Amino acid sequence: MAEATAQPISFGGKTSVPSKAWQLLAPALITLFFLLVIPMLIIFVYSFYLFVDVGVDKPAFQFGNWIEFFTDGYYHGAIWTTFRIAITATVVCAVVGYIPAYFIATTTFRHKWLLMLLLILPFWVSFIIRTFSWIHVLGNQGFINATLLSIGIIDEPIKMLYTEGAVIMGMIHFLLPYMVLNIYVSLEGIDRNLVSAARTLGATSWQAFREVTLPLSLPGLAAGSLLCFVLSAGTFVTPQILGGPRDFMFGNLIFDSLMDELNWPMGATLSCVMLIMLGSIVLIYNRIMGLSQVYKSFR
Amino acid sequence: MAGPAGAVELRRISKSFGSVQAVKSVDLTLDAGSFTTLLGPSGCGKTTILRMVAGLETPSDGEILVNGNRINEVPIHKRNIGLVFQNYALFPHKSVFDNVAFGLKYRDVPKEESRRRVAQALELVRLPGMESRLPSQLSGGQQQRIALARAVVIQPDVLLLDEPLSALDANLREEMRVELKKIQRELNITTLFVTHDQEEALAMSDTVVVMSEGESEQQGPPEEVYNRPASAFVADFLGYSNLLEARVLASNGATTALELTDGVNVNADSANGHFGHAQVKLVIRAEKIGIASEWDGSNGDSILDGTVADVDYLGVTARYFVKVGDLRLQVIGTIDEHPFREGEAVKLRIRPRDCVVLGSA
Ligand SMILES: Nc1ncnc2c1ncn2[C@@H]1O[C@H](COP(=O)(O)OP(=O)(O)O)[C@@H](O)[C@H]1O
Ligand SMILES: [Mg+2]
């Protein structure tokens, strides 16, 4: 958070800092403007177009798409599902991710980089393939059911695949490294002497953890949670591969509008809604926590 | 707020980290209410000793006793020991009040009394009314005082200080030195202080323990350690000394005649060490050697002829390197008008009582 109010950098003692800074930023800003801001504006404009027929739309300025979004409960249900799945996945990631993060941060094992490598290893396999792999774990003939059936604990396969649980499982699988990395970064930054100090003052190791380590790692936990929440709320691949017909999230609605119904104006409207929802969450987070912790884990 | 002073005893305490022997069989006794300093270069095992007393490291061997009771097996949080870290280790997310009151929380001190004791501790370190500040809003010196307040408010049996002054700038360091000593006297608390700064050690301690490579080289009052070094390491580490090889020529009960090199002889007090060997190591402090163009009357002092080879002008004093025969002696002399110049012929006066012979030759 201190980084956000960093000292102005002086370039060779000259006072023309802003112009120099702008020059250096220009390539990035121009790229962002043409590849992000302009396309988003186009999508926003598109949300007012009129849908005529599959794949056909007409330039217009009308609120039909927006009215449909605000009045149709189908969309609101999807928002609710999206939040429920994203929050569940985030909370589970936070709880489950804290343990390896704490372990990596506090271990005296000399080759920490190996543990970090293990954490990053999954990124070497495509996200889609990793998601598909759950079919072989959770399916009716999958690893879990096959094992349980063969040792006779169950007579019939348990339905695990194509449920909301499977979607959440797949998301956790993909989000966990982000969470672990963020928590690790904040744990790593805590002075070890603080816990020692708490111990000498009379705290047990659990009390020292609760009073010192946990509160000081909250920024990392919050940053990881934000990242996990935004990434999971925005996905459409995981529910499409692992979810049942009723387990659609907001991203799936957008995908369907654009790719199946070829209703671009509606797809554009829903995209705007998604952007506003997730954008607001990031802004609220920024007001409370500041975003600088999020950048730390990418350094 | 007189803390219950505790006597501490370390018996043949050792600590190894893998193949590194950080502390080697150190014996140490801290009298109740005394101020003892571990002095030694970085890496000699000072912090490790403190951490073992606090319980943050487990000794590989030996016993630690507080008030006569063995505490090796007592967990850290039950030891009642105050530790001030080199970097203060204040809890950055807690206010000054919560920092200082932290230890009281685990001692079932009622809220009202806790508030009173925190206020008292802040008074003691001369930072009253700072309760609501955050550590980040304090200067280095203030953080240091808060760390001290946090350690003493629990009325520990022993106060451990790990180079608490080293992070402060020079002026503040001297001021805190005086103040720390005053607080220690006021609380009459048994204190084990760690430093690599000899001035600090000599100025503050009742007992100085000079350490080298995990071993205790010498323990004693500051004057004794300074004037009667027990080993070459101590002589070299404290102040400027001349460490010389000498041959015993003749000895009677009072003085011993020593030959330093061809034709350069000095008389040493026979009480200043063992002269049983033919070959001994002689220590003479640089400031104990007199330097002048002429000395009158000798009454047993040795007068050596020398030539100034090098001068290090320090203002009030000067450090000379004087060639005497094929020896090079360090001499610190006060300056009258102007220092001796390079190449100038001088006479050095060495008194028998300033010649200390090391225990083992
Ligand atoms: N946790 C540790 N693991 C391995 N070696 C250590 C550890 N702590 C200290 N040492 C080693 O023990 C020796 C003494 O260290 P320390 O007590 O910190 O010295 P000092 O405080 O006198 O500078 C050093 O060689 C140091 O490298
Ligand atoms: Mg140290």
Side-chain angles (χ1 to χ4, degrees), chain A residues 191 193-194 197 199-203 207 211 216, chain B residues 77 81 87 89-91 93-94 103 105-107:
Chain A
D191 176 6
N193 284 339
L194 295 181
R199 295 299 316 277
T200 60
L201 289 166
Q207 285 164 334
E211 287 277 349
L216 289 176
Chain B
H77 61 282
I81 280 167
N87 65 353
L90 294 178
F91 306 123
H93 59 302
K94 290 179 183 290
K105 250 194 329 205
Y106 302 104
R107 286 170 170 74

mmCIF file with all atom_site columns, all heavy atoms in Angstrom, chain A residues 191 193-194 197 199-203 207 211 216, chain B residues 77 81 87 89-91 93-94 103 105-107:
data_model
loop_
_atom_site.group_PDB
_atom_site.id
_atom_site.type_symbol
_atom_site.label_atom_id
_atom_site.label_alt_id
_atom_site.label_comp_id
_atom_site.label_asym_id
_atom_site.label_entity_id
_atom_site.label_seq_id
_atom_site.pdbx_PDB_ins_code
_atom_site.Cartn_x
_atom_site.Cartn_y
_atom_site.Cartn_z
_atom_site.occupancy
_atom_site.B_iso_or_equiv
_atom_site.pdbx_formal_charge
_atom_site.auth_seq_id
_atom_site.auth_comp_id
_atom_site.auth_asym_id
_atom_site.auth_atom_id
_atom_site.pdbx_PDB_model_num
ATOM 1   N N   . ASP A 1 191 ? 8.449  -10.340 9.103  1.00 0.00 ? 191 ASP A N   1
ATOM 2   C CA  . ASP A 1 191 ? 9.678  -10.497 9.876  1.00 0.00 ? 191 ASP A CA  1
ATOM 3   C C   . ASP A 1 191 ? 9.518  -11.669 10.844 1.00 0.00 ? 191 ASP A C   1
ATOM 4   O O   . ASP A 1 191 ? 8.606  -11.686 11.666 1.00 0.00 ? 191 ASP A O   1
ATOM 5   C CB  . ASP A 1 191 ? 9.933  -9.181  10.628 1.00 0.00 ? 191 ASP A CB  1
ATOM 6   C CG  . ASP A 1 191 ? 11.131 -9.258  11.546 1.00 0.00 ? 191 ASP A CG  1
ATOM 7   O OD1 . ASP A 1 191 ? 11.837 -10.285 11.526 1.00 0.00 ? 191 ASP A OD1 1
ATOM 8   O OD2 . ASP A 1 191 ? 11.349 -8.281  12.280 1.00 0.00 ? 191 ASP A OD2 1
ATOM 9   N N   . ASN A 1 193 ? 11.129 -12.408 13.367 1.00 0.00 ? 193 ASN A N   1
ATOM 10  C CA  . ASN A 1 193 ? 11.301 -12.017 14.761 1.00 0.00 ? 193 ASN A CA  1
ATOM 11  C C   . ASN A 1 193 ? 9.977  -11.657 15.420 1.00 0.00 ? 193 ASN A C   1
ATOM 12  O O   . ASN A 1 193 ? 9.864  -11.691 16.641 1.00 0.00 ? 193 ASN A O   1
ATOM 13  C CB  . ASN A 1 193 ? 12.247 -10.816 14.870 1.00 0.00 ? 193 ASN A CB  1
ATOM 14  C CG  . ASN A 1 193 ? 13.686 -11.227 14.682 1.00 0.00 ? 193 ASN A CG  1
ATOM 15  O OD1 . ASN A 1 193 ? 14.023 -12.395 14.848 1.00 0.00 ? 193 ASN A OD1 1
ATOM 16  N ND2 . ASN A 1 193 ? 14.527 -10.285 14.337 1.00 0.00 ? 193 ASN A ND2 1
ATOM 17  N N   . LEU A 1 194 ? 8.963  -11.277 14.612 1.00 0.00 ? 194 LEU A N   1
ATOM 18  C CA  . LEU A 1 194 ? 7.691  -10.885 15.210 1.00 0.00 ? 194 LEU A CA  1
ATOM 19  C C   . LEU A 1 194 ? 7.067  -12.058 15.951 1.00 0.00 ? 194 LEU A C   1
ATOM 20  O O   . LEU A 1 194 ? 6.560  -11.906 17.061 1.00 0.00 ? 194 LEU A O   1
ATOM 21  C CB  . LEU A 1 194 ? 6.738  -10.360 14.135 1.00 0.00 ? 194 LEU A CB  1
ATOM 22  C CG  . LEU A 1 194 ? 7.180  -9.072  13.456 1.00 0.00 ? 194 LEU A CG  1
ATOM 23  C CD1 . LEU A 1 194 ? 6.151  -8.646  12.426 1.00 0.00 ? 194 LEU A CD1 1
ATOM 24  C CD2 . LEU A 1 194 ? 7.388  -7.978  14.481 1.00 0.00 ? 194 LEU A CD2 1
ATOM 25  N N   . ALA A 1 197 ? 9.065  -12.680 18.999 1.00 0.00 ? 197 ALA A N   1
ATOM 26  C CA  . ALA A 1 197 ? 8.753  -11.679 20.019 1.00 0.00 ? 197 ALA A CA  1
ATOM 27  C C   . ALA A 1 197 ? 7.456  -12.046 20.726 1.00 0.00 ? 197 ALA A C   1
ATOM 28  O O   . ALA A 1 197 ? 7.367  -12.026 21.954 1.00 0.00 ? 197 ALA A O   1
ATOM 29  C CB  . ALA A 1 197 ? 8.640  -10.298 19.393 1.00 0.00 ? 197 ALA A CB  1
ATOM 30  N N   . ARG A 1 199 ? 6.152  -14.953 21.049 1.00 0.00 ? 199 ARG A N   1
ATOM 31  C CA  . ARG A 1 199 ? 6.375  -16.136 21.885 1.00 0.00 ? 199 ARG A CA  1
ATOM 32  C C   . ARG A 1 199 ? 7.042  -15.769 23.206 1.00 0.00 ? 199 ARG A C   1
ATOM 33  O O   . ARG A 1 199 ? 6.630  -16.225 24.262 1.00 0.00 ? 199 ARG A O   1
ATOM 34  C CB  . ARG A 1 199 ? 7.243  -17.170 21.147 1.00 0.00 ? 199 ARG A CB  1
ATOM 35  C CG  . ARG A 1 199 ? 6.649  -17.784 19.907 1.00 0.00 ? 199 ARG A CG  1
ATOM 36  C CD  . ARG A 1 199 ? 5.376  -18.554 20.143 1.00 0.00 ? 199 ARG A CD  1
ATOM 37  N NE  . ARG A 1 199 ? 5.406  -19.440 21.315 1.00 0.00 ? 199 ARG A NE  1
ATOM 38  C CZ  . ARG A 1 199 ? 5.914  -20.658 21.348 1.00 0.00 ? 199 ARG A CZ  1
ATOM 39  N NH1 . ARG A 1 199 ? 6.439  -21.177 20.268 1.00 0.00 ? 199 ARG A NH1 1
ATOM 40  N NH2 . ARG A 1 199 ? 5.877  -21.376 22.444 1.00 0.00 ? 199 ARG A NH2 1
ATOM 41  N N   . THR A 1 200 ? 8.091  -14.937 23.137 1.00 0.00 ? 200 THR A N   1
ATOM 42  C CA  . THR A 1 200 ? 8.789  -14.597 24.385 1.00 0.00 ? 200 THR A CA  1
ATOM 43  C C   . THR A 1 200 ? 7.878  -13.794 25.313 1.00 0.00 ? 200 THR A C   1
ATOM 44  O O   . THR A 1 200 ? 8.068  -13.807 26.522 1.00 0.00 ? 200 THR A O   1
ATOM 45  C CB  . THR A 1 200 ? 10.074 -13.781 24.145 1.00 0.00 ? 200 THR A CB  1
ATOM 46  O OG1 . THR A 1 200 ? 9.729  -12.579 23.479 1.00 0.00 ? 200 THR A OG1 1
ATOM 47  C CG2 . THR A 1 200 ? 11.082 -14.540 23.317 1.00 0.00 ? 200 THR A CG2 1
ATOM 48  N N   . LEU A 1 201 ? 6.894  -13.109 24.740 1.00 0.00 ? 201 LEU A N   1
ATOM 49  C CA  . LEU A 1 201 ? 6.004  -12.317 25.584 1.00 0.00 ? 201 LEU A CA  1
ATOM 50  C C   . LEU A 1 201 ? 4.897  -13.167 26.199 1.00 0.00 ? 201 LEU A C   1
ATOM 51  O O   . LEU A 1 201 ? 4.092  -12.673 26.977 1.00 0.00 ? 201 LEU A O   1
ATOM 52  C CB  . LEU A 1 201 ? 5.393  -11.172 24.772 1.00 0.00 ? 201 LEU A CB  1
ATOM 53  C CG  . LEU A 1 201 ? 6.400  -10.072 24.405 1.00 0.00 ? 201 LEU A CG  1
ATOM 54  C CD1 . LEU A 1 201 ? 5.831  -9.164  23.343 1.00 0.00 ? 201 LEU A CD1 1
ATOM 55  C CD2 . LEU A 1 201 ? 6.786  -9.278  25.644 1.00 0.00 ? 201 LEU A CD2 1
ATOM 56  N N   . GLY A 1 202 ? 4.850  -14.437 25.825 1.00 0.00 ? 202 GLY A N   1
ATOM 57  C CA  . GLY A 1 202 ? 3.911  -15.320 26.508 1.00 0.00 ? 202 GLY A CA  1
ATOM 58  C C   . GLY A 1 202 ? 2.861  -15.976 25.629 1.00 0.00 ? 202 GLY A C   1
ATOM 59  O O   . GLY A 1 202 ? 2.002  -16.686 26.131 1.00 0.00 ? 202 GLY A O   1
ATOM 60  N N   . ALA A 1 203 ? 2.918  -15.744 24.315 1.00 0.00 ? 203 ALA A N   1
ATOM 61  C CA  . ALA A 1 203 ? 1.919  -16.341 23.439 1.00 0.00 ? 203 ALA A CA  1
ATOM 62  C C   . ALA A 1 203 ? 2.346  -17.755 23.053 1.00 0.00 ? 203 ALA A C   1
ATOM 63  O O   . ALA A 1 203 ? 3.530  -17.998 22.807 1.00 0.00 ? 203 ALA A O   1
ATOM 64  C CB  . ALA A 1 203 ? 1.743  -15.494 22.179 1.00 0.00 ? 203 ALA A CB  1
ATOM 65  N N   . GLN A 1 207 ? -1.391 -18.905 19.392 1.00 0.00 ? 207 GLN A N   1
ATOM 66  C CA  . GLN A 1 207 ? -1.760 -17.509 19.686 1.00 0.00 ? 207 GLN A CA  1
ATOM 67  C C   . GLN A 1 207 ? -0.899 -16.547 18.872 1.00 0.00 ? 207 GLN A C   1
ATOM 68  O O   . GLN A 1 207 ? -1.389 -15.534 18.376 1.00 0.00 ? 207 GLN A O   1
ATOM 69  C CB  . GLN A 1 207 ? -1.591 -17.227 21.180 1.00 0.00 ? 207 GLN A CB  1
ATOM 70  C CG  . GLN A 1 207 ? -2.700 -17.831 22.029 1.00 0.00 ? 207 GLN A CG  1
ATOM 71  C CD  . GLN A 1 207 ? -2.345 -17.884 23.512 1.00 0.00 ? 207 GLN A CD  1
ATOM 72  O OE1 . GLN A 1 207 ? -1.177 -17.933 23.887 1.00 0.00 ? 207 GLN A OE1 1
ATOM 73  N NE2 . GLN A 1 207 ? -3.367 -17.866 24.350 1.00 0.00 ? 207 GLN A NE2 1
ATOM 74  N N   . GLU A 1 211 ? -2.372 -13.822 16.365 1.00 0.00 ? 211 GLU A N   1
ATOM 75  C CA  . GLU A 1 211 ? -2.199 -12.399 16.676 1.00 0.00 ? 211 GLU A CA  1
ATOM 76  C C   . GLU A 1 211 ? -1.257 -11.695 15.703 1.00 0.00 ? 211 GLU A C   1
ATOM 77  O O   . GLU A 1 211 ? -1.341 -10.486 15.539 1.00 0.00 ? 211 GLU A O   1
ATOM 78  C CB  . GLU A 1 211 ? -1.604 -12.261 18.096 1.00 0.00 ? 211 GLU A CB  1
ATOM 79  C CG  . GLU A 1 211 ? -2.570 -12.572 19.192 1.00 0.00 ? 211 GLU A CG  1
ATOM 80  C CD  . GLU A 1 211 ? -3.451 -11.375 19.524 1.00 0.00 ? 211 GLU A CD  1
ATOM 81  O OE1 . GLU A 1 211 ? -3.152 -10.274 19.043 1.00 0.00 ? 211 GLU A OE1 1
ATOM 82  O OE2 . GLU A 1 211 ? -4.434 -11.570 20.261 1.00 0.00 ? 211 GLU A OE2 1
ATOM 83  N N   . LEU A 1 216 ? -1.093 -10.207 9.600  1.00 0.00 ? 216 LEU A N   1
ATOM 84  C CA  . LEU A 1 216 ? -0.121 -9.604  8.690  1.00 0.00 ? 216 LEU A CA  1
ATOM 85  C C   . LEU A 1 216 ? -0.149 -10.252 7.309  1.00 0.00 ? 216 LEU A C   1
ATOM 86  O O   . LEU A 1 216 ? 0.378  -9.701  6.357  1.00 0.00 ? 216 LEU A O   1
ATOM 87  C CB  . LEU A 1 216 ? 1.288  -9.674  9.287  1.00 0.00 ? 216 LEU A CB  1
ATOM 88  C CG  . LEU A 1 216 ? 1.518  -8.737  10.476 1.00 0.00 ? 216 LEU A CG  1
ATOM 89  C CD1 . LEU A 1 216 ? 2.906  -8.942  11.057 1.00 0.00 ? 216 LEU A CD1 1
ATOM 90  C CD2 . LEU A 1 216 ? 1.332  -7.287  10.065 1.00 0.00 ? 216 LEU A CD2 1
ATOM 91  N N   . HIS B 2 77  ? 7.000  -19.600 25.861 1.00 0.00 ? 77  HIS B N   1
ATOM 92  C CA  . HIS B 2 77  ? 5.991  -18.677 26.370 1.00 0.00 ? 77  HIS B CA  1
ATOM 93  C C   . HIS B 2 77  ? 5.802  -18.764 27.880 1.00 0.00 ? 77  HIS B C   1
ATOM 94  O O   . HIS B 2 77  ? 5.057  -17.983 28.454 1.00 0.00 ? 77  HIS B O   1
ATOM 95  C CB  . HIS B 2 77  ? 4.663  -18.880 25.635 1.00 0.00 ? 77  HIS B CB  1
ATOM 96  C CG  . HIS B 2 77  ? 4.084  -20.252 25.790 1.00 0.00 ? 77  HIS B CG  1
ATOM 97  N ND1 . HIS B 2 77  ? 4.538  -21.326 25.084 1.00 0.00 ? 77  HIS B ND1 1
ATOM 98  C CD2 . HIS B 2 77  ? 3.092  -20.710 26.577 1.00 0.00 ? 77  HIS B CD2 1
ATOM 99  C CE1 . HIS B 2 77  ? 3.857  -22.397 25.411 1.00 0.00 ? 77  HIS B CE1 1
ATOM 100 N NE2 . HIS B 2 77  ? 2.970  -22.060 26.320 1.00 0.00 ? 77  HIS B NE2 1
ATOM 101 N N   . ILE B 2 81  ? 10.804 -14.123 30.096 1.00 0.00 ? 81  ILE B N   1
ATOM 102 C CA  . ILE B 2 81  ? 12.065 -13.475 29.775 1.00 0.00 ? 81  ILE B CA  1
ATOM 103 C C   . ILE B 2 81  ? 11.783 -12.368 28.770 1.00 0.00 ? 81  ILE B C   1
ATOM 104 O O   . ILE B 2 81  ? 11.015 -12.556 27.830 1.00 0.00 ? 81  ILE B O   1
ATOM 105 C CB  . ILE B 2 81  ? 13.052 -14.519 29.220 1.00 0.00 ? 81  ILE B CB  1
ATOM 106 C CG1 . ILE B 2 81  ? 13.659 -15.273 30.405 1.00 0.00 ? 81  ILE B CG1 1
ATOM 107 C CG2 . ILE B 2 81  ? 14.129 -13.869 28.371 1.00 0.00 ? 81  ILE B CG2 1
ATOM 108 C CD1 . ILE B 2 81  ? 14.390 -16.498 30.062 1.00 0.00 ? 81  ILE B CD1 1
ATOM 109 N N   . ASN B 2 87  ? 16.274 -5.505  15.535 1.00 0.00 ? 87  ASN B N   1
ATOM 110 C CA  . ASN B 2 87  ? 15.422 -4.673  14.670 1.00 0.00 ? 87  ASN B CA  1
ATOM 111 C C   . ASN B 2 87  ? 14.112 -4.308  15.374 1.00 0.00 ? 87  ASN B C   1
ATOM 112 O O   . ASN B 2 87  ? 13.136 -3.969  14.725 1.00 0.00 ? 87  ASN B O   1
ATOM 113 C CB  . ASN B 2 87  ? 15.152 -5.386  13.346 1.00 0.00 ? 87  ASN B CB  1
ATOM 114 C CG  . ASN B 2 87  ? 14.342 -6.653  13.533 1.00 0.00 ? 87  ASN B CG  1
ATOM 115 O OD1 . ASN B 2 87  ? 14.077 -7.076  14.661 1.00 0.00 ? 87  ASN B OD1 1
ATOM 116 N ND2 . ASN B 2 87  ? 13.909 -7.248  12.460 1.00 0.00 ? 87  ASN B ND2 1
ATOM 117 N N   . ALA B 2 89  ? 11.448 -5.484  16.243 1.00 0.00 ? 89  ALA B N   1
ATOM 118 C CA  . ALA B 2 89  ? 10.345 -6.438  16.081 1.00 0.00 ? 89  ALA B CA  1
ATOM 119 C C   . ALA B 2 89  ? 9.059  -5.974  16.752 1.00 0.00 ? 89  ALA B C   1
ATOM 120 O O   . ALA B 2 89  ? 8.383  -6.740  17.425 1.00 0.00 ? 89  ALA B O   1
ATOM 121 C CB  . ALA B 2 89  ? 10.755 -7.826  16.596 1.00 0.00 ? 89  ALA B CB  1
ATOM 122 N N   . LEU B 2 90  ? 8.707  -4.708  16.555 1.00 0.00 ? 90  LEU B N   1
ATOM 123 C CA  . LEU B 2 90  ? 7.394  -4.249  17.028 1.00 0.00 ? 90  LEU B CA  1
ATOM 124 C C   . LEU B 2 90  ? 6.338  -4.778  16.068 1.00 0.00 ? 90  LEU B C   1
ATOM 125 O O   . LEU B 2 90  ? 6.596  -4.925  14.876 1.00 0.00 ? 90  LEU B O   1
ATOM 126 C CB  . LEU B 2 90  ? 7.351  -2.715  17.053 1.00 0.00 ? 90  LEU B CB  1
ATOM 127 C CG  . LEU B 2 90  ? 8.291  -2.046  18.050 1.00 0.00 ? 90  LEU B CG  1
ATOM 128 C CD1 . LEU B 2 90  ? 8.180  -0.532  17.928 1.00 0.00 ? 90  LEU B CD1 1
ATOM 129 C CD2 . LEU B 2 90  ? 7.986  -2.484  19.468 1.00 0.00 ? 90  LEU B CD2 1
ATOM 130 N N   . PHE B 2 91  ? 5.147  -5.057  16.600 1.00 0.00 ? 91  PHE B N   1
ATOM 131 C CA  . PHE B 2 91  ? 4.075  -5.550  15.732 1.00 0.00 ? 91  PHE B CA  1
ATOM 132 C C   . PHE B 2 91  ? 3.541  -4.378  14.916 1.00 0.00 ? 91  PHE B C   1
ATOM 133 O O   . PHE B 2 91  ? 2.941  -3.460  15.473 1.00 0.00 ? 91  PHE B O   1
ATOM 134 C CB  . PHE B 2 91  ? 2.960  -6.176  16.563 1.00 0.00 ? 91  PHE B CB  1
ATOM 135 C CG  . PHE B 2 91  ? 3.465  -7.245  17.496 1.00 0.00 ? 91  PHE B CG  1
ATOM 136 C CD1 . PHE B 2 91  ? 3.238  -7.168  18.851 1.00 0.00 ? 91  PHE B CD1 1
ATOM 137 C CD2 . PHE B 2 91  ? 4.191  -8.313  17.001 1.00 0.00 ? 91  PHE B CD2 1
ATOM 138 C CE1 . PHE B 2 91  ? 3.715  -8.145  19.715 1.00 0.00 ? 91  PHE B CE1 1
ATOM 139 C CE2 . PHE B 2 91  ? 4.680  -9.293  17.859 1.00 0.00 ? 91  PHE B CE2 1
ATOM 140 C CZ  . PHE B 2 91  ? 4.439  -9.209  19.217 1.00 0.00 ? 91  PHE B CZ  1
ATOM 141 N N   . HIS B 2 93  ? 1.105  -3.930  12.974 1.00 0.00 ? 93  HIS B N   1
ATOM 142 C CA  . HIS B 2 93  ? -0.336 -3.735  12.843 1.00 0.00 ? 93  HIS B CA  1
ATOM 143 C C   . HIS B 2 93  ? -0.989 -3.399  14.166 1.00 0.00 ? 93  HIS B C   1
ATOM 144 O O   . HIS B 2 93  ? -2.198 -3.287  14.243 1.00 0.00 ? 93  HIS B O   1
ATOM 145 C CB  . HIS B 2 93  ? -0.967 -4.991  12.249 1.00 0.00 ? 93  HIS B CB  1
ATOM 146 C CG  . HIS B 2 93  ? -0.722 -6.226  13.078 1.00 0.00 ? 93  HIS B CG  1
ATOM 147 N ND1 . HIS B 2 93  ? 0.547  -6.672  13.383 1.00 0.00 ? 93  HIS B ND1 1
ATOM 148 C CD2 . HIS B 2 93  ? -1.568 -7.096  13.651 1.00 0.00 ? 93  HIS B CD2 1
ATOM 149 C CE1 . HIS B 2 93  ? 0.463  -7.776  14.115 1.00 0.00 ? 93  HIS B CE1 1
ATOM 150 N NE2 . HIS B 2 93  ? -0.808 -8.052  14.298 1.00 0.00 ? 93  HIS B NE2 1
ATOM 151 N N   . LYS B 2 94  ? -0.178 -3.246  15.214 1.00 0.00 ? 94  LYS B N   1
ATOM 152 C CA  . LYS B 2 94  ? -0.750 -2.947  16.527 1.00 0.00 ? 94  LYS B CA  1
ATOM 153 C C   . LYS B 2 94  ? -0.259 -1.589  17.009 1.00 0.00 ? 94  LYS B C   1
ATOM 154 O O   . LYS B 2 94  ? 0.876  -1.201  16.735 1.00 0.00 ? 94  LYS B O   1
ATOM 155 C CB  . LYS B 2 94  ? -0.338 -4.024  17.535 1.00 0.00 ? 94  LYS B CB  1
ATOM 156 C CG  . LYS B 2 94  ? -1.008 -5.375  17.279 1.00 0.00 ? 94  LYS B CG  1
ATOM 157 C CD  . LYS B 2 94  ? -0.517 -6.377  18.299 1.00 0.00 ? 94  LYS B CD  1
ATOM 158 C CE  . LYS B 2 94  ? -1.081 -7.762  18.058 1.00 0.00 ? 94  LYS B CE  1
ATOM 159 N NZ  . LYS B 2 94  ? -2.506 -7.852  18.353 1.00 0.00 ? 94  LYS B NZ  1
ATOM 160 N N   . GLY B 2 103 ? 2.266  -8.658  26.171 1.00 0.00 ? 103 GLY B N   1
ATOM 161 C CA  . GLY B 2 103 ? 2.660  -9.693  27.128 1.00 0.00 ? 103 GLY B CA  1
ATOM 162 C C   . GLY B 2 103 ? 1.737  -9.777  28.330 1.00 0.00 ? 103 GLY B C   1
ATOM 163 O O   . GLY B 2 103 ? 1.608  -10.830 28.950 1.00 0.00 ? 103 GLY B O   1
ATOM 164 N N   . LYS B 2 105 ? -1.467 -9.508  28.278 1.00 0.00 ? 105 LYS B N   1
ATOM 165 C CA  . LYS B 2 105 ? -2.655 -10.262 27.892 1.00 0.00 ? 105 LYS B CA  1
ATOM 166 C C   . LYS B 2 105 ? -2.557 -11.711 28.326 1.00 0.00 ? 105 LYS B C   1
ATOM 167 O O   . LYS B 2 105 ? -3.555 -12.337 28.651 1.00 0.00 ? 105 LYS B O   1
ATOM 168 C CB  . LYS B 2 105 ? -2.771 -10.238 26.364 1.00 0.00 ? 105 LYS B CB  1
ATOM 169 C CG  . LYS B 2 105 ? -3.896 -9.414  25.881 1.00 0.00 ? 105 LYS B CG  1
ATOM 170 C CD  . LYS B 2 105 ? -4.255 -9.615  24.436 1.00 0.00 ? 105 LYS B CD  1
ATOM 171 C CE  . LYS B 2 105 ? -3.142 -9.985  23.492 1.00 0.00 ? 105 LYS B CE  1
ATOM 172 N NZ  . LYS B 2 105 ? -3.425 -9.591  22.113 1.00 0.00 ? 105 LYS B NZ  1
ATOM 173 N N   . TYR B 2 106 ? -1.337 -12.267 28.246 1.00 0.00 ? 106 TYR B N   1
ATOM 174 C CA  . TYR B 2 106 ? -1.164 -13.683 28.544 1.00 0.00 ? 106 TYR B CA  1
ATOM 175 C C   . TYR B 2 106 ? -0.811 -13.913 30.001 1.00 0.00 ? 106 TYR B C   1
ATOM 176 O O   . TYR B 2 106 ? -0.442 -15.007 30.399 1.00 0.00 ? 106 TYR B O   1
ATOM 177 C CB  . TYR B 2 106 ? -0.090 -14.270 27.627 1.00 0.00 ? 106 TYR B CB  1
ATOM 178 C CG  . TYR B 2 106 ? -0.475 -14.083 26.186 1.00 0.00 ? 106 TYR B CG  1
ATOM 179 C CD1 . TYR B 2 106 ? 0.137  -13.107 25.412 1.00 0.00 ? 106 TYR B CD1 1
ATOM 180 C CD2 . TYR B 2 106 ? -1.509 -14.826 25.621 1.00 0.00 ? 106 TYR B CD2 1
ATOM 181 C CE1 . TYR B 2 106 ? -0.253 -12.904 24.098 1.00 0.00 ? 106 TYR B CE1 1
ATOM 182 C CE2 . TYR B 2 106 ? -1.900 -14.627 24.315 1.00 0.00 ? 106 TYR B CE2 1
ATOM 183 C CZ  . TYR B 2 106 ? -1.270 -13.669 23.560 1.00 0.00 ? 106 TYR B CZ  1
ATOM 184 O OH  . TYR B 2 106 ? -1.669 -13.463 22.281 1.00 0.00 ? 106 TYR B OH  1
ATOM 185 N N   . ARG B 2 107 ? -0.901 -12.839 30.793 1.00 0.00 ? 107 ARG B N   1
ATOM 186 C CA  . ARG B 2 107 ? -0.587 -12.977 32.214 1.00 0.00 ? 107 ARG B CA  1
ATOM 187 C C   . ARG B 2 107 ? -1.796 -12.645 33.071 1.00 0.00 ? 107 ARG B C   1
ATOM 188 O O   . ARG B 2 107 ? -1.674 -12.363 34.251 1.00 0.00 ? 107 ARG B O   1
ATOM 189 C CB  . ARG B 2 107 ? 0.592  -12.066 32.572 1.00 0.00 ? 107 ARG B CB  1
ATOM 190 C CG  . ARG B 2 107 ? 1.884  -12.628 32.051 1.00 0.00 ? 107 ARG B CG  1
ATOM 191 C CD  . ARG B 2 107 ? 3.029  -11.661 32.177 1.00 0.00 ? 107 ARG B CD  1
ATOM 192 N NE  . ARG B 2 107 ? 4.292  -12.320 31.877 1.00 0.00 ? 107 ARG B NE  1
ATOM 193 C CZ  . ARG B 2 107 ? 4.691  -12.658 30.657 1.00 0.00 ? 107 ARG B CZ  1
ATOM 194 N NH1 . ARG B 2 107 ? 3.926  -12.381 29.619 1.00 0.00 ? 107 ARG B NH1 1
ATOM 195 N NH2 . ARG B 2 107 ? 5.835  -13.269 30.467 1.00 0.00 ? 107 ARG B NH2 1
#
